[in-house]
Amino acid sequence: MLEHHSLRRDDQGWPTASKDWWDTKTKECQEFKKLKWGPPEYLDLLDHCFHDVAVDGSSAFVPGQKEDEALYEDEAQENEEEEQDLEGTENSPMSFSGYKRASSTSTRSTTDSPIKKRQSPMLKVMKQYLNMSATQSAQRNLFLKKLGSKKETAEAKLEDAIKKAQQLAKQAGLDESSPEFYAVSHICKDEALIKFFINMETAEGRDLDGQLDSSDEEVLQLLNEDAEHENQVMETIFFFGMYHDTYMHKNKRRTSPESGHEWVMRNIADETECYKMFIMTPPMFYRLHDLLVQSYGLKSTSKSNSMEALGMFLWMVGASQSVRQVDNRLQRSLETVHRNFGNVLKCLVKLAADITRPVDPDFKTVHRRLQCSRFRPHFNDCIGAIDGTHVEVVVQNDKKVQYLCRKGHTTQNVLAVVDFDMRFAFVLAGCPRSVHDMRVFNDAINKYKERFPHPPLGKYYLVDSGYPNRASYLAPYKGTKYHLPEFRNSGMPRGMKETFNFAHSSLRNVVERAFGVLKMKWRILLKVPRYPPAKQARRIVACMALHNFIRESKLMDEHFDRYDRDEHYVPIEASMSQPRTGDMDRLDEDRNMNEF
């Protein structure tokens, strides 16, 4: 690529070019001359300045890549920790689910949440004991400090007394080696020690209620024993408090006439209600349940079985129910709801790795959509379409700039490859909105090339005007009517370019229709649920796995049937979240694809 444009790289890896190349590039924009002599100044300071703002690609996710098992681990307070992870999201879009707003004031701890258990008496006792222990520890440290200070002062006085006694003995004519001289020094030392311990006992003995001995070693031993005893008491109270809160201090037992499992089974038994609640027919529900149990590790637990967990998940992603609404309706704790959601999500992400791929990896057959006279034989080698969409997410304030779109919302940029059966053959989710569509596209075909369904030689995908013409990726003519609503408003196409763009747009709209079905069925993609960013990307992938599963089942489905009846129908859900496209630079295009 560099050689084609007369570019080279120096020893440090920076691009270099000839004078003629720079003269051509800087005719329209003189600012480009700043880059002629190397990288910008203070590059290290710029890296430091934009360290938490620039996107590094770590948030992107493709089905089939190595999963972090810790993402799905359910902890005792997962429902509260997920809210704390998003603390400080007051500028992100508010949740439409109705039970909380995206503000830091809505984040509560385990003990003061009004929906959680009330604060137990044992917690109050533990707090009082901790305060008392802290006060005693401070008094003990102060006493030890005073004890050490007085000991140093007394030792200094003792040393001065001995020196004075020795000077008097020398003045009296005693020899330093004589027994009399040693006796004088020893007697002075004993008298000073006696005075020191008497003073210590009378001055500081009251601090421990008369329990101090006249020996500082005994005092230190007593203090150590007191601290050890206090630690044992605190440990005992701590474990007793945990036991009390877990097994003794409980909320009032729920007395619902219908359990969560009974509610799920009742709705499955009614075909109409099943489609309303779970967005699929009963046969499809049972088929999906059996597949997840047999092949992807969905299991029942002591609190809820696999049927209830799957129904709970489908109700949450289909009708966009909040965790607390599910908790209230199915009479399950928040922890159980989160645990079931995470377990089913994990299984569906594994399913997505197997189901979001081409049905025919070699693309040997021509799709029936391309066999009509309108497209045959010019588009016989077309194998699908590529486009992106935006899905709103909730992020922390320090990540808001990365995810902010032109409408003022925080969104993810999701890239998808769609075949002419409206199946997703590839998906790259998790990229922040600030990432350019071309970077997402280049990451898909390069960074995730092992998962990306590259077109064989001679085959190609359809892309819109936001992408350049490249080998195996065919874009429309730039600067000419392209989108179907434009032709509906101004009549049939005229001329070669408009005719080609009309046929191109009629085929490529399959990706917009696929996004339309996806977002009409799984309304959670139109809302803003408060999940960690990694889980938000995986719920998109899980919904696409459900989309493909329903499409491949060949069973009756209301949403897909509507799109099959009208191949030009694109709902407002798809058009509202489509990224704005602009014409790419002609220099980035492939000459052979332009001629084709």
Side-chain angles (χ1 to χ4, degrees):
M1 187 70 179
L2 293 178
E3 294 179 358
H4 180 72
H5 291 296
S6 302
L7 292 175
R8 300 289 185 273
R9 293 187 183 274
D10 58 16
D11 296 337
Q12 298 179 352
W14 289 98
T16 60
S18 62
K19 182 178 182 299
D20 295 337
W21 188 90
W22 279 107
D23 292 341
T24 302
K25 288 292 183 180
T26 56
K27 282 182 179 179
E28 297 181 358
C29 184
Q30 298 294 326
E31 294 294 321
F32 288 167
K33 291 184 178 180
K34 296 179 180 179
L35 305 176
K36 183 176 181 179
W37 308 110
E41 291 186 71
Y42 313 116
L43 190 60
D44 53 341
L45 296 180
L46 290 175
D47 291 339
H48 180 73
C49 178
F50 292 96
H51 173 67
D52 293 328
V53 179
V55 178
D56 57 2
S58 60
S59 60
F61 175 73
V62 170
Q65 73 182 62
K66 186 177 180 180
E67 282 289 314
D68 184 7
E69 294 295 332
L71 177 69
Y72 302 98
E73 290 181 359
D74 296 284
E75 301 177 1
Q77 304 295 340
E78 180 182 357
N79 52 308
E80 295 297 335
E81 290 176 0
E82 289 186 347
E83 293 182 10
Q84 293 174 0
D85 288 341
L86 296 175
E87 186 173 333
T89 58
E90 59 269 14
N91 293 325
S92 295
M94 62 179 58
S95 173
F96 293 92
S97 50
Y99 72 92
K100 54 189 174 184
R101 300 294 182 185
S103 64
S104 58
T105 57
S106 65
T107 302
R108 299 177 182 271
S109 66
T110 304
T111 56
D112 63 2
S113 174
I115 305 179
K116 296 287 289 184
K117 296 183 294 186
R118 300 298 179 185
Q119 191 176 40
S120 67
M122 183 53 62
L123 290 177
K124 296 180 180 179
V125 172
M126 292 178 65
K127 287 184 177 180
Q128 292 175 359
Y129 187 82
L130 288 175
N131 293 334
M132 182 180 66
S133 176
T135 302
Q136 292 180 351
S137 178
Q139 293 177 352
R140 186 184 303 111
N141 293 336
L142 180 62
F143 171 73
L144 290 176
K145 184 177 180 180
K146 290 181 179 180
L147 181 65
S149 177
K150 286 184 174 294
K151 183 177 180 180
E152 293 177 358
T153 303
E155 288 178 351
K157 292 181 178 180
L158 174 61
E159 186 177 355
D160 292 340
I162 294 174
K163 288 182 178 181
K164 291 180 179 180
Q166 290 176 350
Q167 290 178 358
L168 292 175
K170 289 181 181 180
Q171 293 176 0
L174 295 177
D175 188 3
E176 293 183 7
S177 59
S178 63
E180 292 81 0
F181 184 85
Y182 173 78
V184 171
S185 302
H186 186 70
I187 292 173
C188 292
K189 181 178 179 181
D190 290 341
E191 290 180 353
L193 283 174
I194 292 172
K195 291 182 179 180
F196 167 71
F197 288 119
I198 291 175
N199 293 334
M200 288 296 298
E201 184 177 10
T202 56
E204 300 295 341
R206 303 185 188 90
D207 288 349
L208 295 179
D209 299 329
Q211 298 180 16
L212 292 182
D213 201 346
S214 59
S215 172
D216 57 343
E217 288 82 2
E218 294 181 2
V219 172
L220 293 176
Q221 182 179 359
L222 182 62
L223 293 175
N224 292 333
E225 292 177 356
D226 184 41
E228 183 178 356
H229 174 71
E230 183 178 348
N231 291 335
Q232 292 177 354
V233 172
M234 285 188 61
E235 184 176 353
T236 303
I237 292 181
F238 176 74
F239 285 110
F240 180 72
M242 291 179 59
Y243 180 85
H244 181 275
D245 284 349
T246 304
Y247 299 103
M248 300 176 65
H249 180 67
K250 296 184 177 181
N251 286 335
K252 184 179 179 180
R253 185 177 182 85
R254 294 179 175 179
T255 56
S256 174
E258 185 179 43
S259 66
H261 174 72
E262 293 172 344
W263 180 83
V264 172
M265 299 308 297
R266 177 174 60 82
N267 283 283
I268 294 178
D270 188 321
E271 183 173 352
T272 303
E273 293 300 320
C274 182
Y275 198 89
K276 288 180 180 179
M277 295 295 103
F278 309 130
I279 323 298
M280 57 178 60
T281 59
M284 201 176 300
F285 186 99
Y286 283 113
R287 185 182 296 185
L288 175 62
H289 171 265
D290 295 341
L291 177 64
L292 295 181
V293 170
Q294 296 172 7
S295 303
Y296 296 100
L298 182 61
K299 299 178 181 179
S300 300
T301 64
S302 60
K303 296 183 179 181
S304 59
N305 59 23
S306 55
M307 290 287 291
E308 180 184 353
L310 179 58
M312 183 185 298
F313 182 91
L314 294 177
W315 190 40
M316 293 176 68
V317 299
S320 189
Q321 300 293 333
S322 69
V323 174
R324 300 187 187 277
Q325 288 171 326
V326 177
D327 164 49
N328 178 268
R329 181 63 188 83
L330 301 186
Q331 297 294 293
R332 295 295 186 182
S333 66
L334 297 180
E335 178 188 352
T336 302
V337 176
H338 275 273
R339 188 186 305 277
N340 287 339
F341 187 91
N343 291 340
V344 179
L345 178 64
K346 181 180 180 180
C347 297
L348 287 176
V349 169
K350 292 180 181 179
L351 172 63
D354 297 331
I355 205 171
T356 53
R357 58 178 57 189
V359 177
D360 179 15
D362 298 326
F363 304 102
K364 294 180 180 180
T365 60
V366 179
H367 193 271
R368 65 179 183 278
R369 171 86 168 121
L370 306 176
Q371 294 178 3
C372 66
S373 58
R374 182 182 172 190
F375 305 112
R376 184 181 181 90
H378 310 290
F379 292 95
N380 283 357
D381 294 325
C382 183
I383 59 176
I386 298 177
D387 203 357
T389 188
H390 292 164
V391 178
E392 291 191 6
V393 293
V394 178
V395 295
Q396 297 176 350
N397 281 341
D398 57 350
K399 299 292 184 181
K400 181 184 176 183
V401 175
Q402 298 180 10
Y403 290 83
L404 198 63
C405 70
R406 69 180 188 275
K407 296 181 180 179
H409 304 297
T410 49
T411 62
Q412 284 186 7
N413 195 342
V414 181
L415 177 74
V417 177
V418 181
D419 61 22
F420 291 109
D421 287 323
M422 285 194 295
R423 290 182 64 263
F424 292 103
F426 175 82
V427 56
L428 173 58
C431 296
R433 170 60 188 90
S434 62
V435 178
H436 194 274
D437 292 344
M438 279 305 301
R439 177 178 170 182
V440 180
F441 175 73
N442 290 329
D443 284 348
I445 63 177
N446 296 319
K447 186 176 180 179
Y448 302 101
K449 58 183 178 181
E450 296 181 357
R451 296 288 306 176
F452 186 82
H454 298 277
L457 183 64
K459 304 291 184 178
Y460 59 87
Y461 289 111
L462 299 178
V463 295
D464 65 9
S465 58
Y467 302 90
N469 255 336
R470 288 184 178 180
S472 302
Y473 303 97
L474 180 63
Y477 282 103
K478 309 297 191 293
T480 306
K481 284 192 303 184
Y482 175 69
H483 295 284
L484 294 180
E486 300 178 43
F487 291 103
R488 296 192 188 104
N489 297 331
S490 59
M492 295 302 294
R494 291 174 294 182
M496 179 188 66
K497 291 185 178 182
E498 286 191 5
T499 302
F500 172 81
N501 278 8
F502 182 65
H504 187 287
S505 179
S506 299
L507 283 178
R508 199 199 61 83
N509 82 328
V510 68
V511 66
E512 297 179 359
R513 292 161 55 220
F515 284 138
V517 175
L518 180 72
K519 294 182 179 181
M520 285 181 65
K521 292 184 74 66
W522 314 113
R523 311 296 291 187
I524 194 174
L525 301 181
L526 300 177
K527 308 294 183 179
V528 191
R530 291 174 62 88
Y531 289 106
K535 270 193 175 182
Q536 294 187 60
R538 283 157 180 78
R539 68 179 170 86
I540 300 173
V541 172
C543 291
M544 290 183 169
L546 293 171
H547 175 102
N548 282 7
F549 175 81
I550 295 174
R551 190 59 169 170
E552 291 182 3
S553 66
K554 305 299 183 181
L555 297 176
M556 185 274 296
D557 183 85
E558 177 182 332
H559 296 95
F560 279 106
D561 291 346
R562 181 176 183 180
Y563 281 78
D564 290 336
R565 289 193 298 268
D566 184 4
E567 294 183 346
H568 298 292
Y569 173 69
V570 178
I572 190 173
E573 286 86 352
S575 58
M576 285 177 57
S577 57
Q578 289 299 102
R580 182 174 57 185
T581 59
D583 292 347
M584 298 295 296
D585 189 354
R586 300 287 295 185
L587 294 175
D588 293 332
E589 298 192 346
D590 183 83
R591 182 180 302 173
N592 294 329
M593 288 303 290
N594 285 336
E595 294 175 355
F596 172 78

